[in-house]
Amino acid sequence: MPVVALLNQKGGVGKTTLSIHIAAELAANARVLLIDADQQGSALDWAAQREASAGFSVIGFPKPVLHREIAALGNGYDWVLIDGPPRVNELARSAIAASDMVLIPVQPSPFDVWAAKDIIDIVKEFSIPKPNLETRFLINRLFPNTMLGAEIQEALASFDVPVLANAIRNRTEYAKAARAGLTALETEPYGQAAREIRAVVEEFTALLNGAKEVKKIHVAS
Ligand SMILES: Nc1ncnc2c1ncn2[C@@H]1O[C@H](COP(=O)(O)OP(=O)(O)OP(=O)(O)O)[C@@H](O)[C@H]1O
Ligand SMILES: [Mg+2]
């Protein structure tokens, strides 16, 4: 039961949007639990919008004892995802302690790059107690013709945390689907958004299975 947390102390970087989409993709052939660790309850609100089951379970657990409860909560699931809150450091610490992998969504702007230091500092506290923790940046809302993959990779290099080779573009499909309590995997199963989510899931699943890093950033057109 791998546990993957989407964390960033900065608000609005895509933690909830990506958690929901990644959970939906994994749920195509596994039992998936999405833990909403944010007091705002955005993932729970999303689930409440739905008419049909999401194909995965969503529960709220915005408490800094998640690491103690994760085994019990995740019992019977193949994957657990944690949608983290912005700002609350104790919740982020508990989510990291509960996780095998931390994905840090970051938008390709200098502000997001600077703000990433906050979550990286917290992740680094775990380098001794959790030496096997896998941490990756996940570039979100990449715009064509703005700060490109190579530039943001360079800007993030100072943090000494690898960047997932597959990036997510800015696509209205993500927001549109989420507003209706859906995912882009449902609204456009063969669209570009669905494709790039699949690529991200494939990549981090392979990394958790011991694959080597892919260096080049891939972006679906
Ligand atoms: N790849 C994307 N393309 C277009 N819009 C996106 C993308 N990712 C996120 N968004 C939009 O950005 C906004 C913030 O996303 P989201 O709520 O997922 O961020 P968050 O990190 O969970 O925020 P918070 O810190 O408040 O929990 C939402 O309106 C969402 O629809
Ligand atoms: Mg959120």
Side-chain angles (χ1 to χ4, degrees), residues 11-17 19 36 38 40-43 83-86:
V13 294
K15 297 177 288 290
T16 302
T17 304
S19 300
D36 187 341
D38 185 357
Q40 293 178 99
S42 310
D83 174 16

PDB file of all heavy atoms in Angstrom, residues 11-17 19 36 38 40-43 83-86, ligand 2:
ATOM      1  N   GLY A  11      -0.453  27.949  -1.218  1.00  0.00           N
ATOM      2  CA  GLY A  11      -1.818  27.623  -1.612  1.00  0.00           C
ATOM      3  C   GLY A  11      -2.003  27.709  -3.120  1.00  0.00           C
ATOM      4  O   GLY A  11      -1.263  28.417  -3.809  1.00  0.00           O
ATOM      5  N   GLY A  12      -2.974  26.963  -3.611  1.00  0.00           N
ATOM      6  CA  GLY A  12      -3.406  27.110  -4.993  1.00  0.00           C
ATOM      7  C   GLY A  12      -2.449  26.601  -6.054  1.00  0.00           C
ATOM      8  O   GLY A  12      -2.543  27.007  -7.211  1.00  0.00           O
ATOM      9  N   VAL A  13      -1.562  25.680  -5.683  1.00  0.00           N
ATOM     10  CA  VAL A  13      -0.599  25.175  -6.676  1.00  0.00           C
ATOM     11  C   VAL A  13      -1.114  23.950  -7.429  1.00  0.00           C
ATOM     12  O   VAL A  13      -0.480  23.487  -8.382  1.00  0.00           O
ATOM     13  CB  VAL A  13       0.765  24.825  -6.030  1.00  0.00           C
ATOM     14  CG1 VAL A  13       1.454  26.070  -5.508  1.00  0.00           C
ATOM     15  CG2 VAL A  13       0.605  23.789  -4.931  1.00  0.00           C
ATOM     16  N   GLY A  14      -2.259  23.397  -6.981  1.00  0.00           N
ATOM     17  CA  GLY A  14      -2.837  22.250  -7.687  1.00  0.00           C
ATOM     18  C   GLY A  14      -2.845  20.952  -6.888  1.00  0.00           C
ATOM     19  O   GLY A  14      -3.091  19.885  -7.452  1.00  0.00           O
ATOM     20  N   LYS A  15      -2.638  21.038  -5.576  1.00  0.00           N
ATOM     21  CA  LYS A  15      -2.597  19.810  -4.771  1.00  0.00           C
ATOM     22  C   LYS A  15      -3.893  19.012  -4.906  1.00  0.00           C
ATOM     23  O   LYS A  15      -3.875  17.809  -5.149  1.00  0.00           O
ATOM     24  CB  LYS A  15      -2.379  20.156  -3.279  1.00  0.00           C
ATOM     25  CG  LYS A  15      -1.060  20.847  -2.999  1.00  0.00           C
ATOM     26  CD  LYS A  15      -0.914  21.241  -1.535  1.00  0.00           C
ATOM     27  CE  LYS A  15      -1.775  22.394  -1.089  1.00  0.00           C
ATOM     28  NZ  LYS A  15      -1.399  23.709  -1.636  1.00  0.00           N
ATOM     29  N   THR A  16      -5.029  19.722  -4.761  1.00  0.00           N
ATOM     30  CA  THR A  16      -6.310  19.013  -4.795  1.00  0.00           C
ATOM     31  C   THR A  16      -6.640  18.531  -6.200  1.00  0.00           C
ATOM     32  O   THR A  16      -7.022  17.369  -6.398  1.00  0.00           O
ATOM     33  CB  THR A  16      -7.433  19.939  -4.255  1.00  0.00           C
ATOM     34  OG1 THR A  16      -7.083  20.337  -2.925  1.00  0.00           O
ATOM     35  CG2 THR A  16      -8.767  19.237  -4.232  1.00  0.00           C
ATOM     36  N   THR A  17      -6.464  19.400  -7.178  1.00  0.00           N
ATOM     37  CA  THR A  17      -6.755  19.022  -8.574  1.00  0.00           C
ATOM     38  C   THR A  17      -5.949  17.785  -8.972  1.00  0.00           C
ATOM     39  O   THR A  17      -6.484  16.833  -9.553  1.00  0.00           O
ATOM     40  CB  THR A  17      -6.382  20.195  -9.506  1.00  0.00           C
ATOM     41  OG1 THR A  17      -7.095  21.360  -9.072  1.00  0.00           O
ATOM     42  CG2 THR A  17      -6.711  19.894 -10.947  1.00  0.00           C
ATOM     43  N   SER A  19      -4.414  15.597  -6.935  1.00  0.00           N
ATOM     44  CA  SER A  19      -4.745  14.425  -6.093  1.00  0.00           C
ATOM     45  C   SER A  19      -5.945  13.679  -6.659  1.00  0.00           C
ATOM     46  O   SER A  19      -5.945  12.449  -6.757  1.00  0.00           O
ATOM     47  CB  SER A  19      -5.130  14.844  -4.672  1.00  0.00           C
ATOM     48  OG  SER A  19      -4.118  15.506  -4.038  1.00  0.00           O
ATOM     49  N   ASP A  36      -8.266  13.543   2.460  1.00  0.00           N
ATOM     50  CA  ASP A  36      -8.266  15.000   2.413  1.00  0.00           C
ATOM     51  C   ASP A  36      -7.746  15.481   3.766  1.00  0.00           C
ATOM     52  O   ASP A  36      -8.453  15.433   4.759  1.00  0.00           O
ATOM     53  CB  ASP A  36      -9.696  15.497   2.147  1.00  0.00           C
ATOM     54  CG  ASP A  36      -9.745  16.994   1.907  1.00  0.00           C
ATOM     55  OD1 ASP A  36      -8.785  17.689   2.287  1.00  0.00           O
ATOM     56  OD2 ASP A  36     -10.755  17.460   1.354  1.00  0.00           O
ATOM     57  N   ASP A  38      -6.809  18.465   4.449  1.00  0.00           N
ATOM     58  CA  ASP A  38      -6.955  19.922   4.489  1.00  0.00           C
ATOM     59  C   ASP A  38      -8.274  20.286   5.168  1.00  0.00           C
ATOM     60  O   ASP A  38      -9.330  19.778   4.768  1.00  0.00           O
ATOM     61  CB  ASP A  38      -6.935  20.453   3.040  1.00  0.00           C
ATOM     62  CG  ASP A  38      -6.952  21.968   2.972  1.00  0.00           C
ATOM     63  OD1 ASP A  38      -7.041  22.618   4.038  1.00  0.00           O
ATOM     64  OD2 ASP A  38      -6.886  22.488   1.845  1.00  0.00           O
ATOM     65  N   GLN A  40      -9.936  22.817   4.797  1.00  0.00           N
ATOM     66  CA  GLN A  40     -10.859  23.404   3.808  1.00  0.00           C
ATOM     67  C   GLN A  40     -11.774  22.350   3.194  1.00  0.00           C
ATOM     68  O   GLN A  40     -12.828  22.665   2.660  1.00  0.00           O
ATOM     69  CB  GLN A  40     -10.084  24.033   2.641  1.00  0.00           C
ATOM     70  CG  GLN A  40      -9.248  25.238   2.963  1.00  0.00           C
ATOM     71  CD  GLN A  40      -8.488  25.723   1.714  1.00  0.00           C
ATOM     72  OE1 GLN A  40      -8.908  26.652   1.056  1.00  0.00           O
ATOM     73  NE2 GLN A  40      -7.376  25.072   1.396  1.00  0.00           N
ATOM     74  N   GLY A  41     -11.320  21.090   3.176  1.00  0.00           N
ATOM     75  CA  GLY A  41     -12.145  19.992   2.687  1.00  0.00           C
ATOM     76  C   GLY A  41     -12.488  20.049   1.206  1.00  0.00           C
ATOM     77  O   GLY A  41     -13.563  19.605   0.787  1.00  0.00           O
ATOM     78  N   SER A  42     -11.561  20.553   0.384  1.00  0.00           N
ATOM     79  CA  SER A  42     -11.876  20.716  -1.046  1.00  0.00           C
ATOM     80  C   SER A  42     -12.111  19.380  -1.761  1.00  0.00           C
ATOM     81  O   SER A  42     -12.996  19.286  -2.610  1.00  0.00           O
ATOM     82  CB  SER A  42     -10.748  21.461  -1.753  1.00  0.00           C
ATOM     83  OG  SER A  42     -10.425  22.627  -1.059  1.00  0.00           O
ATOM     84  N   ALA A  43     -11.330  18.377  -1.425  1.00  0.00           N
ATOM     85  CA  ALA A  43     -11.510  17.077  -2.092  1.00  0.00           C
ATOM     86  C   ALA A  43     -12.845  16.458  -1.665  1.00  0.00           C
ATOM     87  O   ALA A  43     -13.550  15.837  -2.473  1.00  0.00           O
ATOM     88  CB  ALA A  43     -10.341  16.138  -1.783  1.00  0.00           C
ATOM     89  N   ASP A  83      -4.105  14.506   0.096  1.00  0.00           N
ATOM     90  CA  ASP A  83      -4.203  15.870  -0.426  1.00  0.00           C
ATOM     91  C   ASP A  83      -3.896  16.801   0.742  1.00  0.00           C
ATOM     92  O   ASP A  83      -4.669  16.893   1.688  1.00  0.00           O
ATOM     93  CB  ASP A  83      -5.627  16.095  -0.961  1.00  0.00           C
ATOM     94  CG  ASP A  83      -5.864  17.531  -1.402  1.00  0.00           C
ATOM     95  OD1 ASP A  83      -4.887  18.277  -1.578  1.00  0.00           O
ATOM     96  OD2 ASP A  83      -7.046  17.892  -1.576  1.00  0.00           O
ATOM     97  N   GLY A  84      -2.750  17.446   0.692  1.00  0.00           N
ATOM     98  CA  GLY A  84      -2.278  18.223   1.834  1.00  0.00           C
ATOM     99  C   GLY A  84      -2.852  19.628   1.886  1.00  0.00           C
ATOM    100  O   GLY A  84      -3.349  20.153   0.906  1.00  0.00           O
ATOM    101  N   PRO A  85      -2.756  20.216   3.085  1.00  0.00           N
ATOM    102  CA  PRO A  85      -3.243  21.591   3.257  1.00  0.00           C
ATOM    103  C   PRO A  85      -2.134  22.588   2.973  1.00  0.00           C
ATOM    104  O   PRO A  85      -0.955  22.257   3.118  1.00  0.00           O
ATOM    105  CB  PRO A  85      -3.586  21.641   4.750  1.00  0.00           C
ATOM    106  CG  PRO A  85      -2.567  20.727   5.364  1.00  0.00           C
ATOM    107  CD  PRO A  85      -2.258  19.662   4.347  1.00  0.00           C
ATOM    108  N   PRO A  86      -2.463  23.806   2.605  1.00  0.00           N
ATOM    109  CA  PRO A  86      -1.423  24.827   2.560  1.00  0.00           C
ATOM    110  C   PRO A  86      -1.115  25.311   3.977  1.00  0.00           C
ATOM    111  O   PRO A  86      -1.958  25.192   4.857  1.00  0.00           O
ATOM    112  CB  PRO A  86      -2.080  25.944   1.733  1.00  0.00           C
ATOM    113  CG  PRO A  86      -3.545  25.778   1.978  1.00  0.00           C
ATOM    114  CD  PRO A  86      -3.778  24.310   2.229  1.00  0.00           C
TER     115      PRO A  86
HETATM  116 MG    MG B   2      -6.360  22.002  -1.971  1.00  0.00          MG
END
